[in-house]
Amino acid sequence: MDPVSRDLDSENRDSRPRKDSTADLQTHMGDMQITRGGDMLMDDYDVGDEKSDVAEITPDSSTDEPQDPLAHDFEGMKTRMLPLLPDLEPESESIYTWDIENYRSLTRKERSPKFDCGGHPWRILLFPFGNNVDHASLYLEQAHGDEDKPPDNWYACAQFTLCMWNKNEPTIYMCHTANHRFTAEESDWGFTRFSELRKMFAQQWEGTGRAMVENDAVSVTAYIRIYKDPTGVLWHNFINYNSKKETGMVGLRNQGATCYLNSLLQSLYFTNAFRKAIYQIPTENDTEKKNSAWALQRLFYLLQTSEDAVSTQELTASFGWETKHIFEQQDVQELSRILMERMEERMKGTKAENALAKMLVGKMKTYISCINVDYESSRIEDFWDIQLNVSGNKSLDDSFKDYIQVETMDGENKYFAEGYGLQDARKGVIFESFPQVLHLQLKRFEYDINRDAMMKVNDRYEFPEVFDAAPYLSEGADKSEPYLYQLHGVLVHSGDLTAGHYYAFLKPTVDGHFYRFDDDKVTRATLKEALEENFGGDYANMVNGHAGFRNPYTRTLSTKRSMSAYMLVYIRKSREKDILLDVAEQETPTHLAKQLNEERAALEKKRKDREEQHLYLPISVVTEDAFKAYQGFDLTNWESDPNAPSTPQTYRVLRASTVGDFTKTVAESLRLPAEQIRLWVMVNRQNKTTRPDQPLADLDMTISQAYSTHSTRDKPFRLWAETMTNVGDSKPSWPNMNPVPGIAPLVLIFLKYFNVEDQTLRGAGHIYMKRTSKVAEVIPAIQQLMGWSPSKDQALMSSTSSSSIPSTSNSAVSSPSIQLFEEIKQSMIEPLKPKSTLQQAEIQDGDIICFQKALSEKVNLTIASTGGYTDAREFYDYLLNRIVIRFVPKIATEQEESTFSLALSRKMSYDQYSAKVAEHLKVDPTHLRFSTVLSSTGKAKQPVRRSQGLTLAQTLMPALATYANSNQRPDTLFYEILEMSISELETKRNIRIQWLPEGVVKEEPADVLASKNGIVEDLVPPLQLKFNLSDEAAGKLRFYEVHGYKITKYLNTNSLLANISDYSTLFAELIPEEEDHADDNDRAIDAFHFDKETSKPHGVPFRFVVKPGELFKDTKERLSKRTGIKGKQFEKLRFAVVQRSLYSRPTYLNDEDDLSTIAIHADDQLGLDHVNRTRLFAGKGDSIFIR
């Protein structure tokens, strides 16, 4: 094989060997173009459909086609097969030909001699008989070997063509072309199915009469062009790509559909003055997730210091967003404004106050200026951003000219100037000043009246790198400083209204480059990528017949670009250094670094704990103090608040340590000598309790052995720490739990005290008794434990209960009578018989006996009257049914104490839990009303019906659950403090009235509480008071019912309120003056709104006066005044006469028609045909918000 090479590079360098590697086309990504006999593999972004037959129409009538070059015409082949790629600068080129002899004798894999291109060695890799396929496989590979490794981070962006040809007949050839980024990891690239072997060795190659491989020989030529990489990511596959390493910046992780949020946050972060202002908000004492300023500070700090992409979960949680908000794309402008408002609120009273306004707020003047008289009405307003029309405009300047366009008010549209009457005038908007940082919102989404839907505007819209805003300022504006603006950011949307993606191009420094911030990936970008490629419009260089490019998100074809700018950020050139100032880490809040370091240390500790988890065993220990602090069933609650004093303490213990070692550890935490601690193994009983079973006597046993011996596999290891106090100088001696012949065995008993006066049930301690002892003999031990002596307590009247035990001969006669119960399980609390032995009562180690004082009947009645419990069994029942309910005011207040929680019983009636809430609020319980809470939205449902037979559990968790009542919170109630009692309220009816103050364009709801037996006249005084109506106006009120957006009934003042349907809407308005003063010949007609079809009504219906003989063009003027709809919005309306029948056809009206001659039937209505704007947003999620 004799190589023939031709190096077109300016320098020839020595070839160096490289490590053998092979890349399969089917397992790699790339931008490949294969000619003459292969498939085309293109990038997944904006893919165009291919057509086998494409007719190209040219102005030249000649049908002569350029002839294909011959394979040995290397320059011609290079020009034909390797055209220059637009917008890329070549660095070097090479052409190399490898002549192959004895093809059938080649081994499985063959490599050509090395050749040079771009100062690095290359070679051709051939699998003569296929790389596991029935095709010859051909690749280009970089030829660095093990001993001659490429430089660190070496790569080459190569466009190459591999051609196989018959050197004796150069018209026979096959070529394939590809683009690839060669690296040390991806060292080869090419074509696994380069050419079918059967065809290569056939006697005729595509009808030429000769074979491709002739005389067992063939030639392969490699055409290589190396391109400069202006962004560092040309043809990058982004596997193991490190944004921080490549750009010095990190991205933001996408939570689901938060790319729009990420692009906005990156834009604000790289507005360095904004970042610095956010850092100045004092948040040292704010560590709650609901604090959005603290969360934004942390996010900015992490973007500044982190090595990896940063999560926005903390920030969205501080906004109060739930999962559904994370997967809804929202309006960026609305989000930006709300975020600015929240930050402004947090900056008040701090050194950062007004920092955002100085940076982001400009001023505009809205004016109406009379032409013929010296009169102007104007108003100057602040703006944070400017919304500019894209549709109908070709550039940013066109949009600004459109924005400040002057409207002339003349003819019928003259302006009423105070003191001058109707005057010709000019109406418009002009800017008084622009901010240092100018946010421009491009209206890429608009309503399309032809499609009756919101659509994306993909028209070409150009914006400059430097923008002069001076032409759009008023004559009196301060222009002492140039209003030249430098482009800082381009926020881009790719896709359409229903599917798409957001990313941003930002220029972080004054003299730096643009970078693309695409969620967690940051890459260098060219100026063309930031500007021109986001102008939108048609793709350039589209060949005739091309079906278009495929949108990567909607998968539809389009000749227009799917990516276009929707927000621009400009910085005033004279203030660039002030806005893009350096923000050093020393200027960040110190508490942020401290908090994050602590969190990282905690995470590292958790990681280490997980790695060493197999060496340790978690052990939960119940102590005497925890038992005495606990109120509830059993000895403790194993899953209670970790900070509660009754919660067992959990230790992480080495499995190899001994029981004695662990006893010392427990003793240290209890501040007692180890000799005064004895550990008991706790076991789970069949009655679902956990009680001590036997002590761990062998202190030399390892913890691992103790666990395997006394506990069940995969169950937690639980112990009880028995303590012995007041031992003096003597050595502690523990009761012997082992059976001794002739001596009655001991039993360990836990005691709980139900304090009737305090309504508490807590542990009192433990005692040891002989199994043969009488139950009554427990009394002296209780008296000693509680310190009840004759000097402190007088004898109380003994109850008739069999468990009420008077003092025995062994106890003080004057001690109180005591009742004893055994706590068997939650729902089984049984009284104990005094004369039975403990063995007969089946008392065993770890059992619990509850005791209480037997009080007088008078005391019991007093306690019961306040809702208390006088019997331990009743109190246990309360604990069994106890539920903590959160009470929230139905009308939100700023007082934190207005929301509170109470522990109540599920069995409580309405009056009982109302009394508990009233006691907390210090109000009359009869004036409280409650509502259940919708779990999906957190909003109030219907008020709870007051019924003695309805318990709290039935209210919160209905037994016969339907969809309506199953979707409610089981632990929360809204409450209202009413001005009247519930009983009085039940005689009332709440009536919602829609008040119409200005035609039909504005509705103000009003709720009126009126008697169920009242009349419409009773609604007038509340409306008069709420809307400040005069007595004269109140006398002209009209009420009418609406159902299905059409008027169904007019109500007079004597109409019964009981007859108003719950399914209708009640409207109230002042009778219009023209109707009040109508002529005898005038008549009224009902009017309603519909959208194209009369079966699709919407809006507010109204009554209108029809005047005989009036042309409809004059009628429309009265309609505009009657409805309050004016200007361009009114011009879009179409009017028709419609019969009340549901499927009637509308008769549309022209300006020359007379309404009185067309609407002649009694059931005729006037229809206003226009788009139902509310329907456009019916499917939209909840409005975006920040808590």
Side-chain angles (χ1 to χ4, degrees), residues 446-602:
E446 286 188 351
Y447 173 72
D448 188 325
I449 193 169
N450 296 319
R451 293 183 174 92
D452 188 19
M454 293 293 290
M455 300 294 292
K456 183 178 179 183
V457 180
N458 277 322
D459 298 344
R460 182 175 177 86
Y461 181 87
E462 298 181 6
F463 48 90
E465 186 179 4
V466 177
F467 169 61
D468 185 4
Y472 313 109
L473 289 167
S474 67
E475 293 181 1
D478 180 10
K479 301 180 182 178
S480 58
E481 187 178 331
Y483 276 92
L484 288 175
Y485 283 83
Q486 177 72 42
L487 184 64
H488 170 69
V490 181
L491 277 63
V492 181
H493 176 266
S494 178
D496 62 14
L497 183 70
T498 57
H501 181 58
Y502 292 85
Y503 50 92
F505 290 93
L506 300 171
K507 186 180 176 185
T509 58
V510 175
D511 300 318
H513 303 282
F514 275 96
Y515 290 85
R516 172 170 165 153
F517 294 82
D518 190 350
D519 287 339
D520 56 353
K521 188 166 59 185
V522 183
T523 58
R524 169 95 174 271
T526 64
L527 186 62
K528 181 180 179 182
E529 288 174 332
L531 271 75
E532 187 177 336
E533 291 189 2
N534 298 307
F535 288 165
D538 294 331
Y539 284 100
N541 304 320
M542 292 279 290
V543 298
N544 186 39
H546 198 293
F549 289 90
R550 192 175 300 280
N551 185 308
Y553 304 103
T554 64
R555 311 307 301 167
T556 57
L557 291 172
S558 176
T559 59
K560 289 185 178 292
R561 292 181 181 273
S562 64
M563 70 290 289
S564 53
Y566 71 93
M567 178 177 169
L568 304 175
V569 181
Y570 281 94
I571 298 177
R572 197 171 181 180
K573 287 181 72 69
S574 58
R575 306 292 178 90
E576 265 191 303
K577 292 185 179 179
D578 296 331
I579 299 300
L580 299 181
L581 74 172
D582 291 334
V583 182
E585 189 171 347
Q586 294 77 10
E587 298 179 71
T588 61
T590 55
H591 64 276
L592 291 180
K594 182 180 178 183
Q595 290 171 1
L596 289 167
N597 288 335
E598 290 173 354
E599 291 172 10
R600 288 166 182 154

Side-chain angles (χ1 to χ4, degrees), residues 279-293:
Y279 283 155
Q280 290 174 344
I281 300 175
T283 59
E284 293 87 345
N285 301 321
D286 298 331
T287 57
E288 297 183 9
K289 287 190 175 181
K290 65 181 181 181
N291 185 332
S292 53

Side-chain angles (χ1 to χ4, degrees), residues 289-314:
K289 287 190 175 181
K290 65 181 181 181
N291 185 332
S292 53
W294 174 78
L296 187 59
Q297 281 185 348
R298 281 171 61 93
L299 180 76
F300 281 180
Y301 180 79
L302 288 170
L303 282 173
Q304 190 167 338
T305 60
S306 179
E307 295 295 321
D308 302 306
V310 178
S311 171
T312 57
Q313 286 183 340
E314 276 187 353

Side-chain angles (χ1 to χ4, degrees), residues 1140-1184:
R1140 192 173 285 274
S1141 171
L1142 180 62
Y1143 299 105
S1144 60
R1145 295 174 63 87
T1147 303
Y1148 284 94
L1149 300 168
N1150 298 316
D1151 285 352
E1152 303 305 318
D1153 289 335
D1154 181 354
L1155 179 59
S1156 64
T1157 63
I1158 299 176
I1160 57 177
H1161 299 97
D1163 63 345
D1164 280 347
Q1165 295 176 296
L1166 178 63
L1168 283 68
D1169 182 2
H1170 59 102
V1171 173
N1172 179 6
R1173 307 291 293 184
T1174 58
R1175 180 174 59 79
L1176 301 177
F1177 305 99
K1180 192 178 185 298
D1182 294 340
S1183 296
I1184 196 168

